[in-house]
Amino acid sequence: NLKSPLAPLSEADMEKAKGLFEIYCAICHGSTGDGKGKLVKQEKFLGVPSYKDRVITEGSVFHVETYGLNSMGSHANQLSAHERWMVAAYVMELKNK
């Protein structure tokens, strides 16, 4: 039930969110969110789902970024709360593409 405190993100904010996603998330989740990042292709991590196959919300993405889930650890030390909300918005954009 978490809701983003950010207004709809500007184009510049979405570019920053994309950059953060590419640094922290794409290595496992893939640059398109298909679950086929470099570490998955090298079989270092298995079972990373595609965003399109999951029922997710901005709030659920923020929660997982903050606390981790399964093999994914928390990213709260790497990303501020504001940045985690930005990445969550970007993930939802990927899911909807």
Side-chain angles (χ1 to χ4, degrees), residues 10-11 13 16 37 43 46-48 53 59 62 76-77 83 89 94:
S10 68
E11 203 169 306
D13 285 338
K16 181 176 180 184
E43 297 183 357
L46 301 175
V48 177
D53 299 335
F62 178 83
N77 287 333
E83 291 171 328
L94 286 178

Side-chain angles (χ1 to χ4, degrees), residues 3-7 85:
K3 300 283 184 202
S4 175
L6 308 180
W85 279 117

Side-chain angles (χ1 to χ4, degrees), residues 40-73:
V40 173
K41 288 178 181 175
Q42 293 177 351
E43 297 183 357
K44 302 296 182 187
F45 287 103
L46 301 175
V48 177
S50 169
Y51 295 136
K52 293 187 187 327
D53 299 335
R54 307 280 309 214
V55 177
I56 58 173
T57 64
E58 258 185 323
S60 69
V61 173
F62 178 83
H63 186 273
V64 171
E65 291 170 320
T66 302
Y67 299 104
L69 179 67
N70 300 325
S71 296
M72 182 178 149

